[in-house]
Amino acid sequence: MLGQKRFICVCMLLAICVPALAEKETEYLAVFMEGKKVGHAVNTRTVENGKVTTSEDVSITISRMGMPITVQMTETSVETTAGKPLSFESVQQLGALTAMKVAGTVSPDGTIALTQSSMGMEQKSTAQWPQGAVMAEGLRLLTLKHGLKPGTEYNVNIFSAGVGQALAAKVSVGQKKEVDLLGRIVKLTETTTLL
């Protein structure tokens, strides 16, 4: 009986000490320009310890004066589960050129501590978080709130880490359409975001 009590105590202690496993979602996307596939994107969303980390890795190959050039971009945002911004990072690699990186941490008073680096040089500065701007999780929550009913429209300020500012956007929800998705016909809701 004593051994059984010890076993139960150990199990209870393990249940208390082991943190909740992270929830992770991954989406794979094809990137098209003028009807031609030019690249791909991988979006990941991880929820852990009350924080949501969203990353988007994009690789696009375009032709410049007959020469193919590959552009790689990674944008990561960290927010609370309520969509409040905590930090962000953007890395852009243009062909063989040195990567450009922008990173920022948002303090509770809305001040952003920014670090920009390119070609071995680093610059630090501060800025103010744009009033009402959202990043990936905030935008996801707003999309869920408004839904996908055809004719739905709303305005939102989307913070882009790559340009370091909020971009005013208008989101319009269209009708469901049948779309040829790489040889597979699927029914999708058309949404347009005008920046």
Side-chain angles (χ1 to χ4, degrees):
M1 189 69 170
L2 184 60
Q4 206 173 17
K5 284 183 183 176
R6 282 188 190 142
F7 177 72
I8 291 170
C9 286
V10 169
C11 286
M12 287 176 65
L13 182 62
L14 284 174
I16 293 167
C17 291
V18 176
L21 294 175
E23 173 191 325
K24 186 172 183 179
E25 302 166 17
T26 305
E27 288 182 318
Y28 300 92
L29 305 136
V31 179
F32 289 84
M33 282 184 174
E34 297 179 0
K36 295 179 182 174
K37 184 173 182 265
V38 294
H40 65 275
V42 180
N43 290 343
T44 57
R45 177 179 176 270
T46 307
V47 182
E48 189 173 17
N49 300 324
K51 293 180 183 177
V52 181
T53 302
T54 308
S55 291
E56 182 177 55
D57 295 305
V58 181
S59 179
I60 299 172
T61 300
I62 55 176
S63 183
R64 283 253 172 107
M65 299 190 327
M67 296 287 293
I69 183 169
T70 299
V71 179
Q72 293 181 304
M73 299 168 283
T74 301
E75 198 161 298
T76 304
S77 61
V78 180
E79 300 161 81
T80 67
T81 52
K84 183 180 176 187
L86 299 172
S87 64
F88 56 86
E89 181 179 277
S90 173
V91 179
Q92 295 180 22
Q93 180 80 43
L94 307 171
L97 297 176
T98 304
M100 295 181 291
K101 181 178 173 182
V102 177
T105 303
V106 185
S107 67
D109 70 357
T111 303
I112 308 170
L114 278 171
T115 304
Q116 296 174 307
S117 57
S118 178
M119 298 171 62
M121 297 174 64
E122 189 175 273
Q123 183 180 354
K124 293 184 182 289
S125 61
T126 59
Q128 195 62 34
W129 182 259
Q131 184 73 27
V134 297
M135 291 193 294
E137 183 64 10
L139 184 58
R140 188 187 77 83
L141 293 172
L142 197 59
T143 302
L144 290 173
K145 177 184 169 187
H146 286 284
L148 291 175
K149 183 179 176 185
T152 300
E153 290 186 341
Y154 53 96
N155 295 307
V156 59
N157 288 329
I158 303 171
F159 184 81
S160 169
V163 295
Q165 64 183 35
L167 306 172
K170 181 178 182 179
V171 179
S172 304
V173 180
Q175 300 295 323
K176 281 199 170 192
K177 295 180 179 180
E178 286 191 347
V179 177
D180 183 343
L181 191 63
L182 302 175
R184 211 176 80 212
I185 303 299
V186 292
K187 203 163 192 178
L188 302 174
T189 301
E190 183 179 64
T191 59
T192 304
T193 304
L194 180 65
L195 297 175

